[in-house]
Each structure stands twice: as C-alpha cells, then as structure tokens.
C-alpha cells in the first residue's frame, strides 16, 4: 500500500476500540482525511499529544481500503497546547475547528480553507487579537472561500453602491431601500464597518472596535454561517462574548463640561 506525507491540522478525534483513535485532519494537499492512529491512547504511545485537535502536524500515512493509518507524525506547531490552557481561546478555537470540518469534504483539496484555518489558530495561540474577532474573521473568510461572501457595503441584490443599513442574512448581506425585505435588521454602521474589516483583514479597524459592535457583529456572523450550513455549529454556544479585556473593548467615557 502506498505511503504519503502531508501537513495538516487535526480537526477532531474519536475513540476506536480499546487503544486506537480515528483522527480527522484537514491537510494541505489532500483535503480532509480520516486516519487511524493505532495505540495512541496508551500511555507509552509514540504519538502522544501530537494528534489532538488544534495541532499542526506533519503526517506519514499509508493508504487503506476504508481508512488510512498513521505511521509517523511530527509537530509543526503545538497550537493545541497553547489553546487548551485558556478557556476563552479554546472555545473560539473549537468553533473554528468545527466550522472547518463542516465546510470541507473528504479527499477534496481545499488549500485556501487549510491556510485560513492554520492562520486563525496561529493568531489565537499567539494571542494576536481578541479571540472573538479571530473567530468572526475566520467565519466570514471561510464562507467567502466556500462561495458565500457576504456584502457589508453594496446592496447584495442589485449591487447599488452603499453604505446601506438594512441587513438580511438570506439575501447575502446589506440591502438598499428598494431591495429591503421584511425581517431585515438594522445594525449600527460601526458594526457593518467592523464586519467588512474582518472580511478584508483590516485589523487596525477591527482592533479599535467597541464591545457593543463586536457582540452585534458576532451575532450576524453566526447567523450568516448557520443559514448557509443549514444547522448550527454546536461549539458556538460555548463562546463567551461578554468578556472585554482590552481598552478598545470598553465604551469611551462621556464628555463632561
């Protein structure tokens, strides 16, 4: 049976028998694969913690009829360890991993999805931005790569130049006055600016946003994701949106005098 090597990010694992695990990995070249790691649950396993969710690894596998088998693994980036030490980062990482799993198909190459996933986990592990911003940026970009790019400025239906205030998930984003449909919401202009910044990678704007706009934007991003996936991402319910740790998170004081 042919051997192959691939770099990838571990998405999830589940038990197989008494000592094995099935490892689902999003790889750079082969897309999503499922492999068997034999004996990985034993205390003396040579793989150990390398094959845990969130780990960035280099795998050597041999192809099987139903499942491939891991024969060798090396850590490229130990993001899983850094993420697991912080509950806030881990819950956001879990939502990212679950979304990546849902947006990819087995043995279908998805290089852009792989790169987005790796970049998001790297940013979380290194604490480069607020975890919730990293999550929302990942959700919006991953959906765009999948063909569902939302519009936060021009009308999603007729293309009329914005900015526009009405937002409708099923229509693909903001709508002009002529295209607005019942059930549209009216997010704050700053919220739409934040979402546009996250989609395009404008981190200067995103990092300076306020907590109330982040919470509103997170709700819209989650609704947009779940509409296109047609069912919820379970990990999102564990994400804590209420914690504000940076100065930009807090509402500025009112001027007096």
């Amino acid at each position: 049976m042919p051997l192959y090597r691939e770099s990838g990010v571990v998405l999830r694992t589940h038990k197989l028998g008494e000592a094995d695990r099935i490892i689902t990995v999003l790889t750079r070249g082969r897309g999503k694969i499922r492999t068997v790691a034999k004996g990985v649950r034993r205390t003396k396993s040579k793989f150990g913690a390398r094959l845990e969710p969130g780990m960035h690894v280099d795998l050597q596998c041999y192809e099987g009829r139903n499942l491939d088998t891991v024969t060798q693994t090396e850590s490229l980036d130990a993001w899983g360890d850094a993420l697991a030490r912080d509950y806030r980062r881990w819950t956001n990482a879990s939502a990212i991993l679950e979304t990546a799993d849902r947006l990819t198909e087995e043995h279908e190459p998805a290089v852009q999805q792989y790169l987005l996933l790796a970049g998001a986990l790297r940013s979380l592990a290194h604490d480069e931005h607020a975890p919730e911003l990293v999550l929302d940026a990942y959700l919006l970009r991953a959906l765009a790569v999948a063909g569902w790019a939302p519009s936060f400025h021009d009308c999603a239906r007729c293309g009329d130049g914005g900015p526009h205030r009405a937002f409708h998930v099923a229509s693909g984003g903001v709508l002009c006055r002529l295209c607005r449909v019942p059930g549209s919401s009216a997010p704050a202009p700053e919220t739409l600016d934040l979402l546009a910044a996250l989609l395009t990678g404008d981190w200067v704007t995103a990092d300076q946003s306020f907590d109330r706009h982040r919470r509103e934007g997170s709700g819209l991003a989650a609704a947009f994701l779940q509409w296109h996936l047609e069912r919820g991402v379970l990990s999102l319910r564990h994400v804590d949106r209420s914690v504000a740790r940076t100065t930009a998170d807090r509402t500025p004081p009112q001027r007096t005098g």
Side-chain angles (χ1 to χ4, degrees):
M1 296 182 182
L3 285 169
Y4 65 86
R5 296 191 70 92
E6 273 289 353
S7 60
V9 177
V10 179
L11 299 178
R12 58 186 170 90
T13 69
H14 63 270
K15 296 177 182 179
L16 178 66
E18 295 184 356
D20 306 338
R21 276 201 182 110
I22 294 178
I23 314 295
T24 302
V25 186
L26 181 59
T27 67
R28 185 184 186 101
R30 291 177 174 243
K32 187 166 64 178
I33 62 173
R34 294 201 308 153
T35 65
V36 176
K38 295 186 176 180
V40 74
R41 290 159 54 200
R42 296 192 180 103
T43 55
K44 295 184 179 180
S45 169
K46 61 181 179 181
F47 298 137
R50 298 174 190 171
L51 295 177
E52 293 293 332
M55 296 295 289
H56 188 209
V57 294
D58 179 80
L59 296 173
Q60 178 177 282
C61 306
Y62 71 82
E63 295 180 354
R65 290 183 179 179
N66 299 314
L67 293 171
D68 300 345
T69 301
V70 178
T71 59
Q72 182 180 343
T73 180
E74 297 181 5
S75 295
L76 298 177
D77 296 283
W79 297 324
D81 180 66
L83 297 172
R85 294 177 183 274
D86 183 284
Y87 179 80
R88 189 181 182 209
R89 280 187 281 176
W90 176 247
T91 53
N92 283 274
S94 296
I96 288 172
L97 292 169
E98 184 180 350
T99 301
D101 192 12
R102 296 277 301 281
L103 287 175
T104 53
E105 300 291 336
E106 289 189 34
H107 306 297
E108 292 289 336
V111 177
Q112 286 183 290
Q113 293 288 3
Y114 164 80
L115 294 174
L116 276 174
L117 173 62
L121 295 180
R122 181 184 297 110
S123 182
L124 281 177
H126 295 166
D127 206 16
E128 295 175 356
H129 308 283
E132 295 75 23
L133 291 181
V134 176
L135 169 60
D136 291 338
Y138 169 78
L139 297 181
L140 295 173
R141 295 184 198 180
L143 285 168
V145 169
W148 299 312
S151 175
F152 299 116
H153 188 267
D154 298 340
C155 179
R157 284 193 168 184
C158 70
D160 182 54
H164 301 295
R165 287 294 308 277
F167 186 90
H168 192 246
V169 170
S171 298
V174 294
L175 300 175
C176 65
R177 288 185 297 174
L178 295 178
C179 294
R180 180 170 182 163
V181 296
S184 299
S185 60
E190 295 86 352
T191 298
L192 296 176
D193 290 342
L194 168 61
L195 291 173
L198 293 175
L199 180 60
T200 59
D202 180 2
W203 285 106
V204 174
T205 298
D207 288 337
Q208 293 176 349
S209 61
F210 295 113
D211 186 61
R212 61 186 182 275
H213 302 135
R214 294 183 184 186
R215 287 196 300 269
E216 187 176 37
S218 293
L220 296 177
F224 199 79
L225 172 72
Q226 294 180 47
W227 169 265
H228 288 290
L229 293 183
E230 298 183 349
R231 61 189 178 93
V233 173
L234 298 179
S235 300
L236 282 175
R237 69 182 62 177
H238 301 297
V239 174
D240 183 2
R241 306 280 188 179
S242 63
V243 182
R245 298 191 304 179
T246 66
T247 301
D249 282 333
R250 296 191 289 269
T251 302
Q254 298 294 320
R255 297 181 60 183
T256 59

